[in-house]
Amino acid sequence: SCAVAHQWSVALELMSAMDLAKVVPDSICCTSAIGACGNAGKWLAAVQLLSAMSSARVLPNEISHNAVMTACERSSHWAAALSMFSGMHHSGAGGIRPGGVSVSIAMKACERAGRWLLAMGLLRSGSNGALDTVIFNNAISSCEKVGQWVLALDLLGGLLVEKLQPDSISCSAAVATCESGRHWR
């Protein structure tokens, strides 16, 4: 696929050819093109493709939104990723309820930008049943960037409160946070 081969320009050409041939793309085709743009660092093209899906009467789904959010996150456009995340509620018929992957991508964008308070807010927004170990791991990693070792340890304990099993990433991130805060003894 074009996404795997980083052929974003080919993906856009195929989308354009489909439009000229009056072939209506489906969400899988559009999401693949979005992924190709994202893999090439063309986050704005990915955003534009998502917007074009609605114009073409193709309902964007969580996967297509996640692909755009990932493109934004990888290109260090955290605000655009968060805008996509919040826009999920308003897209399509009745909106899209963001799942755990969506929350994780949004948190990763915040973490990369050093916006740990926003990441913690997203953790709370994930409490609608989408919480999983990966989301907690992202939150703990966000704490490391700013030396919030007490919060990292609270989050590690929060995994157990939520009846989730900490994994090696959870523990490593918490230890790294304590180390960065000089509280590892």
Side-chain angles (χ1 to χ4, degrees), residues 48-58 60:
Q48 291 168 340
L49 280 170
L50 184 72
S51 177
M53 285 177 75
S54 296
S55 301
R57 297 188 179 156
V58 179

Side-chain angles (χ1 to χ4, degrees), residues 42-91:
K42 305 295 182 185
W43 70 275
L44 192 53
V47 171
Q48 291 168 340
L49 280 170
L50 184 72
S51 177
M53 285 177 75
S54 296
S55 301
R57 297 188 179 156
V58 179
L59 284 179
N61 57 25
E62 184 180 10
I63 297 168
S64 52
H65 276 86
N66 288 348
V68 173
M69 288 179 7
T70 298
C72 294
E73 179 266 322
R74 287 180 180 165
S75 298
S76 299
H77 290 279
W78 66 271
L82 289 183
S83 177
M84 286 293 127
F85 179 76
S86 64
M88 290 174 76
H89 296 286
H90 306 293
S91 68

Side-chain angles (χ1 to χ4, degrees), residues 125-176:
S125 80
S127 62
N128 63 5
L131 287 178
D132 62 15
T133 303
V134 174
I135 292 173
F136 272 92
N137 290 350
N138 286 335
I140 294 168
S141 293
S142 294
C143 293
E144 178 187 357
K145 303 284 189 279
V146 292
Q148 291 289 327
W149 64 273
V150 173
L151 182 55
L153 294 177
D154 285 345
L155 289 167
L156 190 61
L159 277 163
L160 300 173
V161 170
E162 293 292 329
K163 297 182 179 26
L164 297 169
Q165 185 66 42
D167 60 15
S168 61
I169 296 170
S170 312
C171 296
S172 295
V175 167

Side-chain angles (χ1 to χ4, degrees), residues 30-47:
C30 293
T31 301
S32 293
I34 289 169
C37 292
N39 287 341
K42 305 295 182 185
W43 70 275
L44 192 53
V47 171

